[in-house]
Amino acid sequence: MKILYVEDEKHMALAVAQVLKKNNYSVDFAHDGESGLDLALSGLYDIVVLDIMLPKMDGIGILRNIREKGIEMPVILLTAKGETEDKVAGLDSGADDYLAKPFQTDELLARLRALGRRRGQLAQGSILSYADIELNYNTLGLYGNGQAFHLTLKESHLLELLIHNQGHAITNNTIIEKLWGWESETEDSHVQVQIAFLRKKLGLLSQAVKIKTIYGVGYMLTQNGEG
Ligand code: CA
């Protein structure tokens, strides 16, 4: 389960992220509203934990923007103590849940489990199709040519990213940022390894789909030799 955590208080963000990671969640941060919105719209996250008071754009603004685009991904809002108006505005704007700060991480974990279960029910049959392959990004199943593979979470995220950007080259830096987070020390060689794994599986499932290397730029998904 991949979580986007939008929080400008970095100490708090790191402390909470440690607990989430121990509980097998993968966590990316954004420390201001604008980058939070960009990441929320990337299609890579299962749940967004959204602080309300943020620089550049507040949490309610991000939430409205996500919902206006028809994105159903669960959102938990973090409200400061006593901000009843925020709570009401948040729920009106399409938040699934809220948590008053300061909160116990156990409480956050309980909310995440509940939303994760609900997302599982909603997302059954969450299929992304491209040429002759299908990815179920809920179960991480990749299908084609009458066969199936189970992808790792990283491979699935990489393929989602490539499909969402079909026909455009994606840079190594973008891949690192989306798959590992911008605070990671991931190197280009890690990207190459993930690309190689995914290519191998695609090669066995599809005649049409290829991951093309654009030298000096990055990678692009193509079908039937186009591009
Ligand atoms: Ca804040």
Side-chain angles (χ1 to χ4, degrees), residues 6-9 12 31 51-55 78 101:
V6 188
E7 170 64 78
D8 56 321
E9 291 155 56
M12 176 171 164
H31 295 306
D51 189 25
I52 291 186
M53 297 290 283
L54 292 165
L78 301 179
K101 284 169 130 181

Side-chain angles (χ1 to χ4, degrees), residues 70-120:
I71 298 172
E72 303 281 336
M73 154 176 70
V75 173
I76 300 179
L77 277 181
L78 301 179
T79 60
K81 214 173 181 179
E83 287 175 342
T84 322
E85 283 172 25
D86 281 352
K87 207 182 291 177
V88 172
L91 292 172
D92 279 349
S93 310
D96 296 273
D97 207 345
Y98 63 86
L99 205 50
K101 284 169 130 181
F103 55 85
Q104 301 288 325
T105 43
D106 280 352
E107 181 65 12
L108 177 60
L109 288 168
R111 307 288 177 101
L112 288 172
R113 280 194 297 275
L115 286 178
R117 278 194 297 275
R118 202 194 307 166
R119 179 186 154 90

